[in-house]
Amino acid sequence: MSQLLFRLSKLSSRNNVLIHKSVRLFSTSPYLTLGSVGEDLPGEGGGYIGDILLFDPAKEELVTVRDKTIPEELVNSKLVGASHGWTFFSDRCNHNSVRISDLFNPLASKSNTKIIPLPLLTTMIYGQTDVVWNVAMSSSSPHQDNEEEDCVVAINFLGNQLSMCRPGRDLGWTNKQIPFVCSENSNLMYSKRDQRFYLPAPGGNYLCSYDLHFDKDPMFNELVFLNLPELPQSEWELLNSCFKEDHWVESPSGQSFLVKWYSHVPSQRYKEPILMVFREDEETEEGTRNMCYTEDIGDLCIFLSKSDPFCVVASSCPGLKPNSIYLMGRCFAVYDLTTRTAHHFKPPKDGPERVPFLPYWLPPFST
């Protein structure tokens, strides 16, 4: 018996949750994917039968989805991103060949794993498609026969290339050159409220965005930070010495936040992180956005990782901690904004050996 170890994924999504008079309960909690273990047992139409391994942060326990068909096309592929419940795979022999799959969706069919091929990636001058930094989708329905929503997929590469297409409709990608170099301190996300893809610029003082038509230059909004916390000079100096990530995230009701995640250098996995949250107050006529510091996001929890961040109503998933931020990347923890302390998760004892945690969260799923 041999084991096929897949890399990890995060499926991010902004779920349409009503938070005013009622709360929509999900069938699952958010998950962190640990990978999949497959046996040499043939599945339907080729491929293998395997188990999908997930981590439930609400219960802090391992969840196993057994007897999942792993299609042959994915066996020799590597996971490069995820969004809205779909994982993105790149062929190991040809990184320009990309597919979307629902392999890690715990509520998807076990025997009929869906695969949606995307056009071959093309490289711009001074761009590159070797390293996918993160992906984002405008909806959770990338099917060609979906007439209700026109899904757009965007891939942000390490460097300054952004590629977008409509799965099943576009024969090629529309490539854009981002007017700054993207590194590991900002992630692409899609705003359902504004119908735009957002990407914080280095430094976190500007917000770059693209519409769904690809035919316009990017829009820039200056971020003006108000109500800054009163910290001693030594703490500001500490923050300046940290590695910083900027994450733009939208709540189910359409409220926007900018989360600044500070990590100590050199990175230590169990070193306490520092987070600051700014709530969007208003957008002025000049196009600037006023951002107010807050330590209270109410009955919300935010999930940050390598893929696009997402936000859920804590009471919609029993066990999640409100007013908290779940982290995966430079640390694996949940950060309480009220106490400004982090609780670090421990790897599941029953999980597979030598399978690392990669920085991907899955959103909650509903039937």
Side-chain angles (χ1 to χ4, degrees):
M1 179 184 300
S2 65
Q3 289 186 334
L4 302 174
L5 298 181
F6 281 79
R7 300 186 70 183
L8 313 182
S9 164
K10 171 245 168 195
L11 312 174
S12 68
S13 147
R14 266 145 305 284
N15 302 284
N16 186 20
V17 181
L18 298 178
I19 64 172
H20 300 291
K21 295 184 179 180
S22 63
V23 174
R24 173 184 173 186
L25 293 179
F26 291 97
S27 299
T28 73
S29 167
Y31 291 129
L32 181 78
T33 60
L34 306 182
S36 66
V37 179
E39 300 180 355
D40 287 335
L41 297 176
E44 296 182 13
Y48 300 88
I49 302 296
D51 295 338
I52 301 299
L53 306 177
L54 308 167
F55 176 77
D56 182 349
K59 298 180 180 179
E60 298 191 35
E61 64 182 21
L62 181 72
V63 175
T64 303
V65 180
R66 301 193 181 280
D67 301 326
K68 180 83 171 184
T69 297
I70 303 172
E72 188 174 1
E73 301 99 302
L74 303 183
V75 172
N76 294 318
S77 299
K78 62 179 179 178
L79 195 61
V80 294
S83 181
H84 277 291
W86 296 83
T87 43
F88 287 65
F89 290 88
S90 174
D91 194 294
R92 292 186 182 275
C93 299
N94 180 11
H95 68 266
N96 288 327
S97 177
V98 179
R99 304 177 180 91
I100 303 177
S101 175
D102 65 352
L103 177 66
F104 287 94
N105 183 338
L107 300 184
S109 171
K110 291 185 178 182
S111 60
N112 184 25
T113 302
K114 293 184 176 63
I115 296 179
I116 300 175
L118 298 177
L120 289 176
L121 295 171
T122 54
T123 305
M124 299 175 61
I125 299 177
Y126 306 117
Q128 59 90 25
T129 58
D130 294 336
V131 181
V132 173
W133 183 244
N134 81 300
V135 303
M137 294 169 56
S138 64
S139 83
S140 58
S141 302
H143 304 90
Q144 184 177 2
D145 57 357
N146 176 38
E147 297 180 355
E148 297 181 358
E149 288 186 279
D150 191 11
C151 180
V152 177
V153 170
I155 299 181
N156 178 29
F157 298 95
L158 191 63
N160 60 355
Q161 179 170 331
L162 175 67
S163 299
M164 296 174 281
C165 80
R166 292 177 171 84
R169 301 187 182 187
D170 293 342
L171 298 178
W173 293 83
T174 297
N175 296 324
K176 293 290 185 178
Q177 186 169 353
I178 302 171
F180 50 83
V181 176
C182 290
S183 58
E184 56 180 330
N185 54 4
S186 63
N187 284 352
L188 187 71
M189 64 81 65
Y190 178 74
S191 167
K192 184 177 181 179
R193 183 195 69 182
D194 301 334
Q195 298 185 8
R196 300 185 69 87
F197 289 98
Y198 283 114
L199 184 65
N205 294 318
Y206 289 89
L207 191 64
C208 174
S209 66
Y210 292 84
D211 63 20
L212 298 177
H213 303 290
F214 320 145
D215 55 356
K216 297 180 180 179
D217 292 332
M219 178 187 297
F220 279 89
N221 294 104
E222 182 181 3
L223 303 180
V224 179
F225 297 97
L226 307 173
N227 190 33
L228 290 173
E230 296 183 1
L231 300 177
Q233 182 62 28
S234 59
E235 289 197 32
W236 288 115
E237 293 176 355
L238 173 63
L239 293 178
N240 289 333
S241 67
C242 290
F243 176 87
K244 180 171 66 72
E245 301 177 31
D246 292 298
H247 296 267
W248 188 262
V249 59
E250 188 173 279
S251 75
S253 65
Q255 177 70 63
S256 296
F257 300 92
L258 180 71
V259 182
K260 292 181 176 291
W261 178 2
Y262 298 88
S263 302
H264 296 271
V265 180
S267 177
Q268 298 181 27
R269 192 172 184 83
Y270 290 98
K271 191 74 172 178
E272 289 300 308
I274 303 173
L275 288 101
M276 298 178 69
V277 179
F278 294 86
R279 178 188 285 110
E280 182 184 22
D281 185 36
E282 63 178 347
E283 182 175 353
T284 67
E285 295 181 357
E286 293 77 18
T288 61
R289 299 195 180 194
N290 292 333
M291 309 298 297
C292 292
Y293 173 78
T294 181
E295 296 178 355
D296 184 9
I297 60 174
D299 188 28
L300 295 175
C301 50
I302 295 172
F303 287 77
L304 302 183
S305 66
K306 181 180 176 181
S307 287
D308 50 339
F310 63 93
C311 178
V312 300
V313 179
S315 56
S316 68
C317 300
L320 292 182
K321 297 180 180 180
N323 200 40
S324 297
I325 302 177
Y326 288 78
L327 307 171
M328 184 61 224
R330 292 181 173 267
C331 69
F332 178 35
V334 55
Y335 185 90
D336 189 322
L337 289 172
T338 303
T339 62
R340 300 179 64 183
T341 58
H343 166 64
H344 294 266
F345 296 116
K346 296 180 180 179
K349 296 180 180 180
D350 298 330
E353 296 181 359
R354 299 184 302 278
V355 178
F357 281 19
L358 295 184
Y360 296 103
W361 287 107
L362 296 111
F365 291 89
S366 62
T367 54

